[in-house]
Amino acid sequence: MIYTAIWAHRGASAYAPENTLPAFLLAERLGSDGIELDVQITKDKQVVVCHDHNIDRTSNGTGNICDMTLEELKQYDFGYPTAFGHRFAGTKISTLGELYEAVKASDMIVNVELKYTAAQPDTVALTLAVTEQHGMKDRVIYSSFAHYGLEAVMKLDSTAVVAPLYGDMENACEAALAYGALALHPAHSAAVKPGYINEAHLKGLRVHPYTIDNPAIMQELLNLGADALITNYPDIAKGLRDKHLKKFI
Ligand code: G3P
């Protein structure tokens, strides 16, 4: 019987501005087992939590994060008014360190997605250093669509936990095992294919599909034994998961 963990995608981002402390703290209150977040590097080499390379969509400012210092970024409002009106006005961008401190007292797993590009090769070293400084190494799983970024993580710290992100991919298990990944992070459309999760399990890999907001697909992945569901609606996924677990007690 597999316990399927529920990980809140960019925090409980259906209910609070994505990748902000309110969204992560809400994820904890809703009973999530983990949170997923994205990191970017500022001009002054600070690791901040944001999905996009620029702040245009999620703040009241514009511009690329790599061209701004942390102090400059902190002037902007990340309350995401186009999605949430004024309810979260005044919310600031968070550094990865601030996020770690905010969730340290919980037992949530932190899935750090590295928005790694060849133009910012120091993303990996800077992120690993913050994780180490805040004593969070045992709670973090790194993922990335840039699989060479995950190989870079393993070269720097062979005890780190990594998982490749992808839509669908030939020989995903073999590729992931080659650099010591713990899990696969496929799109849910790949993970629901017959035998997909079983094959990964037989090869010693966990499967953490993304981003599942449809309750019917959540249920399908629970039935198939996914190890975690990454979702914007952790409350709905948790409700289904807990009901699913009860069937086996
Ligand atoms: O990590 C799961 C999911 O976040 C991957 O897609 O575009 O949200 O980074 P994206």
Side-chain angles (χ1 to χ4, degrees), residues 21-133:
L21 292 187
F24 298 124
L25 295 174
L26 179 58
E28 183 186 352
R29 288 202 296 281
L30 293 174
S32 309
D33 302 286
I35 50 176
E36 187 269 358
L37 58 87
D38 307 275
V39 291
Q40 306 280 349
I41 309 298
T42 67
K43 187 178 176 185
D44 53 340
K45 304 295 178 194
Q46 300 296 308
V47 184
V48 292
V49 182
C50 192
H51 179 270
D52 300 351
H53 294 293
N54 63 55
I55 63 169
D56 303 15
R57 179 177 60 88
T58 55
S59 83
N60 62 347
T62 57
N64 291 326
I65 291 174
C66 64
D67 295 329
M68 286 183 258
T69 64
L70 178 60
E71 196 181 345
E72 284 166 336
L73 281 165
K74 285 278 188 186
Q75 293 169 12
Y76 296 108
D77 191 326
F78 280 76
Y80 204 171
T82 50
F84 296 101
H86 297 293
R87 278 200 296 141
F88 296 94
T91 301
K92 301 292 180 198
I93 198 167
S94 169
T95 64
L96 182 61
E98 287 167 344
L99 173 276
Y100 282 155
E101 290 307 314
V103 301
K104 210 173 215 175
S106 76
D107 58 0
M108 291 193 298
I109 292 292
V110 183
N111 173 199
V112 176
E113 183 183 337
L114 298 160
K115 291 295 186 195
Y116 186 81
T117 69
Q120 286 196 304
D122 51 2
T123 301
V124 167
L126 291 167
T127 305
L128 263 62
V130 173
T131 303
E132 186 78 45
Q133 278 158 22

Side-chain angles (χ1 to χ4, degrees), residues 48 51 144 146 152 154 202 243 247:
V48 292
H51 179 270
S144 186
M154 295 307 274
L202 287 170
K243 219 161 114 186
K247 278 195 254 168

Side-chain angles (χ1 to χ4, degrees), residues 129-153:
V130 173
T131 303
E132 186 78 45
Q133 278 158 22
H134 290 268
M136 289 291 284
K137 220 188 115 172
D138 296 342
R139 298 253 300 274
V140 170
I141 175 167
Y142 298 101
S143 60
S144 186
F145 286 102
H147 301 167
Y148 54 90
L150 299 178
E151 293 183 47
V153 170

Side-chain angles (χ1 to χ4, degrees), residues 114-223:
L114 298 160
K115 291 295 186 195
Y116 186 81
T117 69
Q120 286 196 304
D122 51 2
T123 301
V124 167
L126 291 167
T127 305
L128 263 62
V130 173
T131 303
E132 186 78 45
Q133 278 158 22
H134 290 268
M136 289 291 284
K137 220 188 115 172
D138 296 342
R139 298 253 300 274
V140 170
I141 175 167
Y142 298 101
S143 60
S144 186
F145 286 102
H147 301 167
Y148 54 90
L150 299 178
E151 293 183 47
V153 170
M154 295 307 274
K155 275 191 190 128
L156 273 181
D157 179 0
S158 62
T159 66
V161 175
V162 303
L165 271 165
Y166 55 89
D168 198 358
M169 188 177 147
E170 291 278 313
N171 301 319
C173 292
E174 288 66 27
L177 288 167
Y179 51 86
L182 174 87
L184 304 175
H185 286 200
H188 60 74
S189 51
V192 295
K193 287 184 183 171
Y196 196 97
I197 292 177
N198 267 347
E199 183 195 340
H201 284 170
L202 287 170
K203 291 180 174 165
L205 287 159
R206 301 181 197 184
V207 185
H208 306 150
Y210 71 93
T211 299
I212 308 112
D213 290 344
N214 178 328
I217 301 173
M218 290 174 185
Q219 188 61 57
E220 196 175 353
L221 286 161
L222 287 166
N223 296 343

